[in-house]
Amino acid sequence: MASKKKDIALQIIISNQEQWEESLSSKGLLVVDVYQAWCGPCKTAVSLFRKIKNELGDDLLQFAVAEADSIDALEKYRGKCEPTFLFFGGGELVAVVRGVNAPLLQKTIIDQLEAEKNVLNQGLERKVVKDEALLVEEEETSPIPAQVEDDELLPSGKSYTVAIIKPDAVAHGKADEIIMKIQEAGFEILANEEKTMTESEVRDFYQHRAGEEKFQELIQFMSSGPCHVLIISKSGEEDVIPAWREFIGPTDVEVAKTEKPESLRAQYGTEILYNAVHGSNDTEQASRELAFFFPTFKQQHQHTDESVFMSPERTLALIRPEVLRGRKDEVLQCIQEAGFSIAMQKEVMLSEQQVKEFYQEHVNEDYYPALQQQMTSGPILALALVKDNAVKLWRNALGPTKITEAINEAPDSLRARFTPSEGAINQLHGSSSPVSAEKEINFFFPVEHTLAAIKPDAMEEHRDEIMERIQGAGFTISQIKETNLSQEMAEEFYKEHKGKPFYEQLVEYMCRGPCLMMTLSKENAVQEWRSLMGPTDPTEAQTAAPDSLRSLFAKSILENAVHGASNINHATEKIQFIFGDIDLDGHISWTSNETSTQNTTKDIQQNEERNETTALPGNEEESVQDDS
Ligand code: ATP
Ligand code: MG
């Protein structure tokens, strides 16, 4: 039987200046989550804090939440969308952490508690800090440099636009529905901030419309209540702006209703002013709006060219079989020393067909047969490398294409250092341009669908936090339903483990209560979801991946909070088992308790013909042809 845990108040709620002063006068270390009324306190941090509190069980450690808007002392923190945690020792500021960086929060709590104890017990001097980001802002009015997660938020080589779900649609309770429709149409939502704009913000934002007759009305309307500000992109779309404008429809709702009845404005707008959604007109405007709402992104990612908004670039690197066999670690070390981070990696065995597809443009060259021979002679390692200007820098690091040239002219280059046996093709590849980099990355790391589940124990206590982490990590949830597994279903679901000593317990555990079943979609989703979950055993997770879901939420190796398919075939099989025959590339649906029964025969056929060695989904067509 699952016991319902009592929800003891972990955090003191500070809601005015008086309470603020009172809280600060208490002894020990106080960790305050400073939050904004429109986004609420950080739920993700709560479980981490609870875990730390339980482990340390120390009365000198206290947690609090404080709303910036209602406490004078927090004036400087108003309007910041990034979570901010202030650490006070004996009422004085001793540390600041921005962003939900679990390992950093944990370390800061432990270190500061220790330091505070030294102050209290040994009379050491307390090290007081000033919040530097705020000082900088005061002096130069420059935005706070973002510290975490930004790199992930905006992968490069894609275009972005700002979209706003306006106050009318939000007030009518349509925000969630619109967000679903946006995702359903294949747009990715990279950020979603709920925000009530002030009149002066609206004035600034719409300055290009200042001359218009209805400007005052526009200001009133846009500042009348919360809106959702989104950053949107679309994979496979060079420029997301026209796609987005097409999707929202004409500005005038009446025109939209007659000409584009399926557009968002036709469906949710009521008149020209109250037209439910906003989209940037062009790249330049998008870039300006992005900077307006998300200034920290601007600082870190916007290149000097005003019209281009890009995060650190990505490039594809390949390590070919001969070098991979003996010198993989050495190459990886060189990559890291050169300052690239590895966003994704995958070891694969390519078929001749796949090599042909990858090297389409080279098929008729006289070196092609040798290239193909080399590329199919063993596993290769594909890497998505991230760094500002990654494409060019990685090519520089590689050196000349021809090995003899590399050896003679650039002996320090990677191709010269990692030389293959005589006459062979160079052993390292790099994309030739940002556009081809994205294409090549997409070839090796296509969008995948995986099956994820929140297991019965975690449903009670951690469901919201887990959902937040899933969205924060950029997964699209394409299917979702709550399911009570019957004993037979649980047995089938985990049939791979039949006969193992924990099998019966596992089945019993999975049937204890409802599970939340989901299909998650993302580049490299199977592996990415497994990394977010962390190792099966929470004790291992706590050391190997302290920020992972199982590190934070699993109770034991059995009751480990979440499930994820272990490979692409497994994912396909389990998605079909739970959701039936669905077309994941086209539709998103919320299913109740029945199994959904959408199309398609193509999918079933593909699923049957998928085979383990073709580790690259998206190439099924080729493998099918291969067989025939
Ligand atoms: P899952 O398949 O649930 O995503 P996993 O792939 O990390 O997890 P598996 O090896 O497939 O781990 O095990 C399936 C589940 O069986 C685990 O999630 C856990 O609930 C349970 N389990 C695995 N090993 C043990 C064990 N040694 N003792 C008890 N339960 C275990
Ligand atoms: Mg498993």
Side-chain angles (χ1 to χ4, degrees), residues 368-559:
Y368 183 76
L371 179 63
Q372 185 178 66
Q373 204 283 322
Q374 171 62 221
M375 291 289 285
T376 52
S377 66
I380 59 166
L381 183 68
L383 304 156
L385 304 184
V386 181
K387 188 175 171 39
D388 266 327
N389 208 9
V391 171
K392 196 159 159 231
L393 292 178
W394 176 240
R395 287 186 75 86
N396 289 349
L398 290 178
T401 311
K402 290 211 177 87
I403 291 177
T404 43
E405 243 172 74
I407 293 172
N408 296 330
E409 289 161 29
D412 288 339
S413 68
L414 294 178
R415 279 174 178 154
R417 286 163 61 191
F418 296 97
T419 47
S421 58
E422 228 174 299
I425 298 282
N426 72 45
Q427 289 294 298
L428 299 162
H429 164 89
S431 313
S432 55
S433 70
V435 172
S436 80
E438 284 305 310
K439 259 196 219 148
E440 292 179 358
I441 288 174
N442 186 49
F443 181 90
F444 284 98
F445 305 100
V447 171
E448 288 176 351
H449 311 291
T450 192
L451 185 82
I454 302 183
K455 297 182 177 179
D457 59 327
M459 284 291 276
E460 288 181 24
E461 290 159 37
H462 304 298
R463 179 180 169 150
D464 291 350
E465 294 142 295
I466 294 172
M467 296 305 285
E468 259 179 47
R469 290 287 300 273
I470 290 175
Q471 300 199 310
F475 290 98
T476 304
I477 303 169
S478 336
Q479 297 276 331
I480 183 163
K481 72 172 174 184
E482 224 178 280
T483 308
N484 280 290
L485 291 180
S486 64
Q487 167 144 358
E488 294 70 43
M489 280 184 87
E491 282 170 357
E492 174 67 22
F493 190 75
Y494 274 125
K495 63 177 185 222
E496 293 81 5
H497 297 296
K498 195 164 187 165
K500 292 191 185 160
F502 57 83
Y503 181 67
E504 266 82 43
Q505 275 175 298
L506 177 59
V507 169
E508 181 275 322
Y509 162 51
M510 292 301 286
C511 299
R512 234 178 252 174
C515 293
L516 191 66
M517 296 289 181
M518 287 168 275
T519 64
L520 304 182
S521 312
K522 194 186 181 197
E523 271 178 349
N524 211 23
V526 172
Q527 201 184 313
E528 299 260 308
W529 170 240
R530 288 195 70 86
S531 331
L532 186 60
M533 292 197 301
T536 314
D537 186 347
T539 21
E540 195 191 330
Q542 276 153 20
T543 47
D547 197 23
S548 66
L549 297 173
R550 282 169 171 169
S551 155
L552 296 171
F553 306 133
K555 296 198 185 83
S556 66
I557 187 168
L558 174 71
E559 296 170 290

